[in-house]
Amino acid sequence: MIKITILEPAPDEDDEIIVKCRFLDSEMSLLLNQLKNGSSKMNFYKQNKIVLVDKEDILFFESVDDKVFAYTLDDVYETKFKLYELEQILYPKSFFRANKAVIVNLNKIKSLSPAFRGRLEAVLKNDYKVIISRSQVPKLKELLGL
């Protein structure tokens, strides 16, 4: 469990963030990276242009024919990242590897329902359906507190 304490600095002190942890695991490293970089946007490509998109607007990423695409409610963008690289740079409490070809934004899931052979079907806010592989179902349930 992470404890958060916010203190007001003295008038002569600068704002600062101090991290006390027993060991620096990947989740803590990712959180620190996000604090340092402060970026909630990602670079994507569309029609030979670089487009900046808020991470929170992304519904899911999908790998198709060795290319990876990011889907929002309104558009589709290409990224140069591979899915395994996206898993490392995206916040793991928000983005989840649903199957070998898809990473889904957990905050964009509208509903879940059972699918055949122990899988789940997630319906996203754009009504797109994503199959959660059987091996990923326990992890998804844990993340969603089910």
Side-chain angles (χ1 to χ4, degrees):
M1 183 166 85
I2 296 176
K3 176 181 168 185
I4 297 175
T5 305
I6 299 173
L7 304 170
E8 187 174 334
D12 61 335
E13 291 181 318
D14 290 333
D15 290 342
E16 71 176 325
I17 295 173
I18 298 171
V19 177
K20 289 172 34 175
C21 58
R22 301 206 187 292
F23 60 93
L24 198 59
D25 62 6
S26 61
E27 188 173 339
M28 186 64 77
S29 293
L30 182 61
L31 182 62
L32 290 172
N33 219 1
Q34 289 174 337
L35 282 171
K36 284 181 197 173
N37 297 333
S39 177
S40 65
K41 294 191 181 285
M42 292 184 74
N43 300 332
F44 297 111
Y45 300 90
K46 182 156 180 127
Q47 299 171 346
N48 296 323
K49 292 181 185 175
I50 297 173
V51 182
L52 296 174
V53 177
D54 281 322
K55 290 176 190 173
E56 66 187 40
D57 292 336
I58 298 166
L59 297 168
F60 66 101
F61 293 92
E62 183 176 39
S63 176
V64 179
D65 296 331
D66 292 327
K67 292 184 179 182
V68 176
F69 298 94
Y71 294 78
T72 65
L73 277 174
D74 305 318
D75 232 326
V76 179
Y77 305 96
E78 186 176 349
T79 179
K80 300 300 180 194
F81 289 110
K82 301 292 183 197
L83 287 180
Y84 74 90
E85 294 171 320
L86 288 168
E87 281 183 289
Q88 294 172 355
I89 62 174
L90 294 169
Y91 188 57
K93 301 268 188 205
S94 297
F95 288 89
F96 170 74
R97 183 71 172 256
N99 59 54
K100 69 177 186 169
V102 175
I103 294 174
V104 67
N105 184 341
L106 294 173
N107 300 314
K108 302 300 181 181
I109 294 176
K110 185 168 36 171
S111 67
L112 291 168
S113 58
F116 57 95
R117 297 190 177 164
R119 298 188 272 182
L120 288 175
E121 180 181 81
V123 178
L124 304 180
K125 299 215 177 193
N126 65 347
D127 291 325
Y128 186 83
K129 295 176 182 170
V130 173
I131 295 295
I132 311 298
S133 69
R134 185 176 56 217
S135 64
Q136 295 295 80
V137 168
K139 184 177 177 185
L140 177 64
K141 286 182 175 181
E142 179 185 327
L143 285 169
L144 295 177
L146 302 174

